[in-house]
Amino acid sequence: QVQLLESGGGRVQAGGSLRLSCAASLQPFSRSTMGWIRQAPGKEREFVAAIDWRDSITYYSDSVKGRFTISRDDAKKMVYLQMNSLKPEDTAVYYCAARVLAPASDGLEYDHWGQGTQVTVSS
């Protein structure tokens, strides 16, 4: 059974930083595109970032480009989202997602999803 477990969410003031982590029990992790998607209250899910399994090419939404960084550690089966210069509009539940043997993109097509971790940014 595939499990994606997010951690690292919390409350931070605007301008602050958080680092989200996702532990994956997924095979083959090293051949899975990993992504972060968020959902704010009353809004649809929104792509945030993705990292390709073949060459670690990364994709970001325009709203987070330059502030967020996605990375992965295949040996540990972990994916991370470093979030800097946080803004109140970044407040959302952040989900880790995985798609095996698929290229990364800015879409929402994933096979497996975590339960999410709440990020709250106060002004």
Side-chain angles (χ1 to χ4, degrees):
Q1 183 178 357
V2 175
Q3 283 190 326
L4 302 175
L5 183 61
E6 304 96 336
S7 61
R11 181 180 294 271
V12 65
Q13 287 192 329
S17 298
L18 283 174
R19 188 195 194 206
L20 304 184
S21 299
C22 173
S25 62
L26 170 69
Q27 292 287 356
F29 180 85
S30 61
R31 297 189 178 186
S32 299
T33 279
M34 302 299 296
W36 288 96
I37 293 87
R38 68 186 181 187
Q39 187 168 21
K43 295 188 177 181
E44 296 184 350
R45 286 187 174 182
E46 174 192 17
F47 168 79
V48 175
I51 184 165
D52 196 286
W53 61 273
R54 294 166 296 177
D55 46 18
S56 292
I57 288 178
T58 55
Y59 295 79
Y60 297 95
S61 68
D62 288 341
S63 61
V64 308
K65 197 173 295 181
R67 300 188 296 123
F68 291 11
T69 303
I70 187 172
S71 61
R72 64 188 295 157
D73 185 332
D74 287 352
K76 295 181 179 180
K77 296 185 181 179
M78 297 287 294
V79 62
Y80 307 97
L81 185 68
Q82 178 66 43
M83 306 186 294
N84 298 329
S85 302
L86 283 161
K87 304 175 181 179
E89 51 263 44
D90 294 319
T91 295
V93 176
Y94 284 71
Y95 297 91
C96 175
R99 192 174 182 197
V100 180
L101 293 173
S105 70
D106 59 358
L108 299 177
E109 298 82 16
Y110 287 90
D111 302 318
H112 307 287
W113 294 78
Q115 294 298 309
T117 185
Q118 176 70 46
V119 171
T120 302
V121 184
S122 58
S123 57

